[in-house]
Amino acid sequence: MAREKKEKKVREKKVREKKVKEKKVKEKKQKQAKESKSLKNFFNQKTFLGITLVGVLVLVAVYVFVYLDYTQRTQELENSNQELLATVRELEEYNTNMEAYMLEIEEIEEEINAILEQYPADTREEDAIMLAVELGELNIIDFDAINMEEKESVYTVEPYLVTAAAMEGLDESLVFAQKHAVYVNETTYSELKSVIRQIYESDNRIGIDNIVYTKNEEYGILEGNIDIYFYSLAGTDKEYEAPDIAEYPAGSSDLFRSEETARQMAMDMLDEMMGEGEDGMDGEEDMAGEEGIEGEDGEDGAEEDVEN
């Protein structure tokens, strides 16, 4: 009996231990399940936030790199289209008025060519000398000296402008130049006016810069100088034309006919003085004649009075 009781107690103890063990295992499993569920919930929340954040970033990236770029490109295309539309309208206007524009271009080219034609291709020392010779041929003027300076540039039309004009005979830059010459001379006032008129009417492209004269009281002539600029244009298809000096004798003896001019001036002055003297003598004779007539009339009157 005692043995049975003892075995019974052992079995009961084992059963209790087994139940306690099973209970502990069950509690452990429940605890692990609870912890696993909490961790799963945590990860689910983090995953959702991560996905949400990634989605927001994707949307921002799409907005910045796609939508804004598309909007910017669209605006650029619209602006470009507006510019192209304005260009098309301008070209349409040009095409409509093409005939009138061509006529205007021809008129402008004719005006430009007329201006360019007035300028020689170059100006040299012989041009200045020949002007003095021509002035001496038609006027009483004695040249003491001609002072000439080097040619200098006045204005340049750049090659790109000449090329853009696309005018025949012009393929490089146009250079306007001037050459200064001072004519030291002696003349009279009336001859000086004739000289200035001849310079003004000259075929050369020249201009008077300054005129300075003083009167020589002893001889009654003007002494001074005329400053003249000779203008030329380089860059056209024109060539320099030297003055024709074949009819003039070569050499350095009396280049400007100064001796002949001086003799002519002296003769003219002498003629003027003689003319003034003759006019004075004629005036005195006239006055004397009038006085004689008056005297005779007076004597006749006196005789008549005496007779009466």
Side-chain angles (χ1 to χ4, degrees), residues 177-193:
Q178 65 181 14
K179 187 177 184 65
H180 186 213
V182 180
Y183 294 82
V184 183
N185 61 86
E186 296 177 354
T187 186
T188 62
Y189 179 69
S190 60
E191 294 297 322
L192 177 59
K193 293 191 292 182

Side-chain angles (χ1 to χ4, degrees), residues 12-26:
E12 289 176 355
K13 184 178 180 181
K14 288 181 178 181
V15 170
R16 285 197 300 272
E17 290 177 355
K18 184 178 180 181
K19 288 181 178 181
V20 171
K21 188 176 181 180
E22 290 176 355
K23 185 178 180 180
K24 288 181 178 181
V25 171
K26 185 176 180 181

Side-chain angles (χ1 to χ4, degrees), residues 9 14 16 19 22 28 44 50 60 73 80 136 146 189 192 197 203 209 227 244 256 270 272 284 291 301 304:
K9 288 182 179 180
K14 288 181 178 181
R16 285 197 300 272
K19 288 181 178 181
E22 290 176 355
K28 186 177 180 180
N44 288 338
V60 171
R73 288 180 178 275
S80 177
I146 301 177
Y189 179 69
L192 177 59
R197 185 182 304 107
D203 294 334
D209 179 59
D227 293 17
D244 186 11
F256 303 112
L270 182 60
E272 290 179 1
E284 291 177 358
E291 290 178 355
E304 291 176 358

Side-chain angles (χ1 to χ4, degrees), residues 190-229:
S190 60
E191 294 297 322
L192 177 59
K193 293 191 292 182
S194 177
V195 167
I196 295 174
R197 185 182 304 107
Q198 185 175 347
I199 293 174
Y200 177 76
E201 296 174 353
S202 173
D203 294 334
N204 295 323
R205 191 63 178 175
I206 58 179
I208 298 177
D209 179 59
N210 194 20
I211 298 177
V212 179
Y213 279 91
T214 58
K215 184 176 182 181
N216 188 323
E217 298 293 344
E218 182 178 358
Y219 298 104
I221 60 175
L222 299 179
E223 299 176 345
N225 56 271
I226 303 176
D227 293 17
I228 295 179
Y229 278 106

Side-chain angles (χ1 to χ4, degrees), residues 229-246:
Y229 278 106
F230 291 77
Y231 297 97
S232 62
L233 173 61
T236 65
D237 56 357
K238 295 177 64 175
E239 296 182 358
Y240 173 72
E241 296 181 4
D244 186 11
I245 59 175

Side-chain angles (χ1 to χ4, degrees), residues 81-149:
N81 289 336
Q82 292 296 329
E83 294 177 359
L84 292 175
L85 182 60
T87 303
V88 169
R89 291 175 179 172
E90 186 177 0
L91 293 175
E92 289 178 349
E93 183 179 357
Y94 289 159
N95 185 52
T96 303
N97 302 320
M98 180 62 69
E99 185 176 355
Y101 291 150
M102 294 301 295
L103 292 176
E104 291 181 1
I105 291 173
E106 291 179 0
E107 292 177 358
I108 294 173
E109 288 182 352
E110 290 177 357
E111 293 177 0
I112 293 175
N113 287 327
I115 294 174
L116 299 182
E117 187 63 27
Q118 298 176 9
Y119 290 86
D122 194 8
T123 53
R124 301 178 183 177
E125 285 72 13
E126 48 263 48
D127 297 306
I129 295 174
M130 284 303 301
L131 177 63
V133 173
E134 293 171 357
L135 293 175
E137 286 182 336
L138 301 178
N139 306 280
I140 301 175
I141 182 170
D142 182 19
F143 291 99
D144 296 328
I146 301 177
N147 302 319
M148 290 175 281
E149 300 177 358

